[in-house]
C-alpha cells in the first residue's frame, strides 16, 4: 500500500491518500487500507476540484480496468471496463465509422468517470448527457454485491450512479451505444457575436441545424462578445495525419496567466476570421488535449473552474450579470465557454445539465480575491435556482449544493457506506 | 502482419506490447499462467486489432511442456516471426535469504524457464533463418545489489545467455533483443513508492516494439537507465559494498 500525493486537475488541492489498485474487473472488492475510513474510485484525476479526491481516505484506482470486452461494428454497441479512456475508444471506433455519442472537452477521461459525472458536450441540445447513451453497467458495492444496472434492471441504482460522483459503488464495466459517422472530419462554421443577445439568436437558429454548438466568450470586458462555433460531422471520409502534441513538462514557478496575458490571448483569438472550414475531430473537440498538462500554466497555486447552469426561464440576463461581476472584481477568465443545454433529460438523478445555458470560467487561484468573486457569482446563481457542476468544483458551499440538487436526500440513500470524497464531506457538512 | 508468440502475456509490459502488435494487425499466440487474465486480455486485443488471437494457459515452470506449447503456437499461427518472453516474478529478497528452496525457485522462474524456451526457439529461428527473439531481462541484472540480488542474478544469467545467442543467431539473420527496463509502474511493483524515474508500461512497450522491428541488441527502457547503470557498474567494489543500493 503506497501513500501518494494526488492532485486533481485544478491543482489547487493536494491530498495524501492511500492508493489501492483494483486488480481486475472480476476481482472481489478490496479491503480498506488500515487507517482509512473510506474509499473513492479514481480514474484519470480530471475532475477540477475535490470530487475525485479523498483526503485522509483511500483512492481505488481503475487503471488495471482498461480492457475492451466487445465492439459490434454493425450496431455500434461497445462493452468495456470502466477504466478505459475515451481516447482509446475513439482510436478503435473512428476508423470503423463510429463516434462517441457525447464527449466532454478532453478525451483523457475514463468511461467510469464520464458516467460518475454524467459529462456533457457540445451536442447537449441534441443528444443530452453521457448517461443518455449508457445501456448497462455493473456496479460493485463494498459488500461485494454485483448489480447489473440499466433502465429496466436495478433502475434506481442506474439513476443514482449516473452523475453519482463515484459514491454509489465501483463501476466495473459498461455497455454504451455509439453513433455512426462517415469519417474523422468536422464541417465547422465560425461566427463572431458582439452581445449576449446575438449569442442567443445564433443558438436559437443553430440548434436544429447543427449537431455541435459552443461559444467562446471574450471575458476581458463585460460586453458579452465572443466567437460562436457550430459544426456537423462531415461526409468527407478521407483519413489524415494526427496533429502534433506538445506538453508542459514542469510547473512554472509563477502563473503565466494574468490579466495582461489574457488580454493578449483574447485579442489574438478574436482575430480568428468568420467562415466555414473542415477540421479533424481532435482539434475541434479537444483543442487543449493538444497541449499535455496545460493545467500547469497556472503555476504552483493552480486554478479554479466555475461552471454553472442557468435555467432557461431566466434567459441570458444572469449571464450578463455574472460577466459584470467578473469585470467589477478586476478579474479575467482565460477560457470562458458559453453553451445552451437542451431539454433531453438524463437518467441520472444527480445529473448537472438542465434546460438553459451553461457558463464555464477559469480563474487562477489568487486567494481571497477570487473567493470574493465566487461569492458574488454564487449569489447570482442561487437567485435564479441555478446550480454548479461538482466535477469542476472545489469550493461551493453545502447550502448552494443542496439548493441546486433537491434530489440529494434520495440520492444519499444510495451512497455506499464505504465510499466518500473530499467534495462529499465538504458539501454535506453540518447536515 | 507478423506472427508473434508472447510468453507471460498477462504481465503489464507484455500486455501493453501486445496491444501495439494487435493494433497494427499482427497475429498473436498468448501464453500465461492465469486463464481468466488471458481471456480478458485476448478479448481486449480482439477489439483493438483485426488479427488472430489464440491463448494457452501454462505454468512456465513446467519446462517439460515448453516444446509442445511452441509446436502448438507454430501450428496455430502457421509459423512464427517473433517471440517475446516476458514472464517472471519479482523475488522477495529477504524471504529468499532465509530459504534455499525459495531462492532456487526464483532462479528457476526468472532464468531457467527462459533459458529452456530460448534453447528451443533459437533452433527453430536459426533453421528458418529469419525472425526476432526478445526477452525482458532487467537493469537489476547489470550488477548484483543487496536489495535484490537473487532476482538480479537470474536476470544476469538471462542477459549473458542472450548476448551469446545474439552472436550465434546473427549469422542466420535472426535478431535477439535484450530488454532492460528500469522501474516500471506495474502490478508487480505495486508495493513500491513511485518517483520521477518510474515509467509506465506503455512507454516500455513502445521501446520494445521499436527494438523488435529494428536490428535487435540490448535496450534500456526508458533510455536514461543506460547511463544510470553505466555508473552503477563502474563503482569500485570497495565503495560499492558500503552503499545501501
Amino acid at each position: 500500500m503506497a501513500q501518494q500525493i494526488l492532485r486533481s486537475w485544478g491543482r489547487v488541492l493536494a491530498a495524501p491518500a492511500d492508493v489501492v489498485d483494483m486488480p481486475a474487473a472480476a476481482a472481489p472488492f478490496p479491503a480498506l487500507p488500515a487507517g482509512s475510513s473510506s474509499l473513492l474510485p479514481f480514474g484519470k484525476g480530471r475532475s477540477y476540484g475535490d470530487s475525485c479526491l479523498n483526503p485522509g481516505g483511500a483512492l481505488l484506482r481503475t487503471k488495471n480496468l482498461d480492457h475492451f470486452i466487445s465492439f459490434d461494428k454493425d450496431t455500434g454497441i461497445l462493452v468495456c471496463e470502466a477504466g478505459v479512456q475515451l481516447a482509446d475508444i475513439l482510436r478503435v471506433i473512428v476508423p470503423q465509422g463510429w463516434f462517441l455519442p457525447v464527449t466532454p472537452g478532453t478525451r483523457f477521461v475514463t468511461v467510469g468517470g464520464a458516467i460518475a459525472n454524467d459529462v456533457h458536450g457540445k451536442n447537449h441540445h441534441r443528444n443530452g448527457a453521457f448517461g443518455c447513451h449508457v445501456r448497462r453497467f455493473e456496479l460493485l458495492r463494498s459488500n461485494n454485491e454485483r448489480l447489473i444496472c440499466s433502465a429496466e434492471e436495478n433502475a434506481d441504482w442506474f439513476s443514482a450512479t449516473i452523475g453519482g460522483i463515484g459514491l454509489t459503488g465501483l463501476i466495473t464495466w459498461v455497455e454504451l451505444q455509439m453513433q455512426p459517422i462517415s469519417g474523422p472530419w468536422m464541417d465547422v462554421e465560425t461566427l463572431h457575436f458582439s452581445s449576449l443577445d446575438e449569442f442567443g439568436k445564433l443558438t436559437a437558429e443553430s440548434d436544429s441545424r447543427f449537431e455541435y454548438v459552443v461559444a467562446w466568450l471574450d471575458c476581458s470586458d463585460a460586453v458579452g462578445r465572443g466567437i460562436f462555433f457550430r459544426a456537423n460531422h462531415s461526409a468527407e471520409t478521407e483519413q489524415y495525419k494526427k496533429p502534433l502534441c506538445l506538453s508542459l513538462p514542469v510547473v512554472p514557478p509563477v502563473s503565466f496567466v494574468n490579466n495582461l496575458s489574457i488580454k493578449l490571448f483574447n485579442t489574438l483569438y478574436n482575430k480568428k476570421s468568420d467562415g466555414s472550414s473542415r477540421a479533424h475531430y481532435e482539434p475541434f473537440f479537444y483543442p487543449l488535449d493538444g497541449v499535455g498538462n496545460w493545467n500547469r500554466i497556472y503555476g504552483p497555486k493552480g486554478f479554479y473552474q466555475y461552471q454553472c447552469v442557468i435555467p432557461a426561464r431566466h434567459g441570458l440576463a444572469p449571464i450578463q450579470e455574472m460577466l459584470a461581476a467578473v469585470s467589477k472584481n478586476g478579474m479575467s477568465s482565460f477560457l470562458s465557454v458559453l453553451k445552451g443545454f437542451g431539454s433531453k433529460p438524463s437518467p441520472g438523478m444527480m445529473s448537472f445539465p438542465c434546460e438553459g445555458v451553461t457558463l464555464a470560467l477559469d480563474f487562477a487561484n489568487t486567494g481571497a480575491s477570487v473567493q470574493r468573486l465566487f461569492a458574488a457569482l454564487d449569489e447570482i446563481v442561487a437567485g435564479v435556482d441555478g446550480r454548479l457542476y461538482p466535477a469542476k468544483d472545489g469550493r461551493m458551499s453545502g447550502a448552494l449544493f443542496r439548493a441546486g440538487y433537491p434530489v440529494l436526500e434520495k440520492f444519499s440513500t444510495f451512497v455506499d457506506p464505504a465510499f466518500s470524497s473530499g467534495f462529499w464531506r465538504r458539501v454535506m457538512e453540518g447536515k | 502482419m507478423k506472427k508473434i508468440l508472447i510468453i507471460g502475456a498477462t504481465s503489464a509490459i507484455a500486455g501493453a506490447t501486445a496491444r501495439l502488435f494487435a493494433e497494427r494487425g499482427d497475429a498473436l499466440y498468448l501464453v500465461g499462467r492465469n486463464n481468466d487474465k488471458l481471456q480478458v486480455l485476448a478479448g481486449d486485443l480482439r477489439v483493438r486489432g483485426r488479427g488472430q488471437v489464440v491463448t494457452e494457459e501454462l505454468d512456465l515452470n513446467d519446462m517439460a511442456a515448453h516444446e509442445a506449447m511452441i509446436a502448438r503456437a507454430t501450428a496455430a499461427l502457421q509459423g512464427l516471426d517473433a517471440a517475446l518472453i516476458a514472464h517472471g516474478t519479482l523475488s522477495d529478497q529477504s524471504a529468499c535469504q532465509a530459504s534455499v528452496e525459495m531462492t532456487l525457485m526464483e532462479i528457476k522462474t526468472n532464468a531457467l524457464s527462459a533459458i529452456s524456451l530460448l534453447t528451443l526457439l533459437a533452433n527453430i529461428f536459426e533453421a528458418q533463418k529469419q525472425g526476432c527473439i526478445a526477452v525482458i531481462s532487467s537493469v537489476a541484472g547489470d550488477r548484483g545489489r543487496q536489495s535484490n540480488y537473487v532476482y538480479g542474478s537470474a536476470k544476469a544469467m538471462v542477459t549473458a545467455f542472450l548476448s551469446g545467442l545474439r552472436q550465434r543467431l546473427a549469422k542466420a539473420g535472426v535478431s535477439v533483443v535484450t530488454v532492460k527496463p528500469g522501474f516500471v509502474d506495474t502490478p508487480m511493483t505495486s508495493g513500491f513508492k513511485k518517483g520521477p524515474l518510474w515509467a509506465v508500461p506503455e512507454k516500455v512497450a513502445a521501446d520494445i516494439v521499436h527494438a523488435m522491428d529494428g536490428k535487435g541488441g540490448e535496450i534500456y527502457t526508458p533510455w536514461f537507465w543506460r547511463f544510470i547503470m553505466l555508473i552503477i557498474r563502474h563503482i569500485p567494489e570497495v565503495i560499492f559494498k558500503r552503499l545501501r543500493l
Side-chain angles (χ1 to χ4, degrees), chain A residues 156-169:
Chain A
D156 45 354
W157 289 99
F158 186 67
S159 172
T161 301
I162 295 172
I165 22 182
L167 297 167
T168 61

Side-chain angles (χ1 to χ4, degrees), chain A residues 21-25 61-67 81 83, chain B residues 12 40 186-187:
Chain A
D21 288 326
M22 184 70 184
R61 286 197 299 193
T62 56
K63 65 183 186 121
N64 296 325
L65 272 54
D66 66 343
H67 299 96
E81 293 176 354
Chain B
V40 169
T186 68

